Amino acid sequence: HVQLVESGGGSVQAGGSLRLSCGGSGWYSVLCMAWFRQTPGKEREGIATIASDGRTSYTDSVKGRFTISKDNSKNTLYLQMNSLKPEDSAMYYCAADPRRCFVTLFYSTRYKYWGQGTQVTVS
């Protein structure tokens, strides 16, 4: 059973940085991991994915500012967020799926496993 637990959210001023972490267990079956974010009344938005071979992809809104990475030895997924903007404020979720990233892409409905979320507020 795959478990995902996010941490590292908080409040930061515009232009600042935060690093989110997603730890857990049961990842041996996972081929794609991703970060999503959601604000009230809006759909969950996929922002970054990382494949089992380390290849990454980003949505345009975060490209060049956010970096997704993972440490397989620690079963931990990271999201380094730099140059934060107020519009980055959202609940951030990590997600995982046994299928490859070229199948799941940025579609939230295609990810089987989810964490509980961590709030990021940029002012």
Side-chain angles (χ1 to χ4, degrees):
H1 180 66
V2 176
Q3 291 186 319
L4 303 170
V5 180
E6 301 96 334
S7 61
S11 297
V12 64
Q13 290 188 337
S17 299
L18 277 177
R19 189 176 79 159
L20 305 183
S21 299
C22 175
S25 59
W27 292 14
Y28 53 87
S29 63
V30 167
L31 293 182
C32 184
M33 300 195 74
W35 286 98
F36 285 74
R37 64 186 181 187
Q38 188 172 26
T39 54
K42 293 190 176 181
E43 291 188 1
R44 196 165 290 190
E45 174 194 21
I47 58 174
T49 68
I50 186 165
S52 56
D53 63 3
R55 282 182 290 181
T56 60
S57 63
Y58 300 90
T59 192
D60 286 345
S61 61
V62 306
K63 199 173 294 183
R65 300 188 298 123
F66 291 10
T67 303
I68 187 172
S69 63
K70 60 179 179 172
D71 186 334
N72 291 325
S73 66
K74 297 180 179 179
N75 266 14
T76 303
L77 177 73
Y78 301 100
L79 184 69
Q80 177 66 44
M81 304 186 295
N82 299 328
S83 302
L84 283 161
K85 306 175 182 179
E87 52 263 43
D88 293 319
S89 297
M91 185 72 79
Y92 282 71
Y93 299 90
C94 64
D97 196 86
R99 296 171 293 182
R100 297 189 185 277
C101 288
F102 71 79
V103 173
T104 54
L105 299 174
F106 290 126
Y107 298 106
S108 62
T109 55
R110 297 183 183 181
Y111 286 82
K112 184 174 182 179
Y113 306 107
W114 290 88
Q116 84 290 348
T118 186
Q119 179 68 40
V120 172
T121 303
V122 185
S123 59

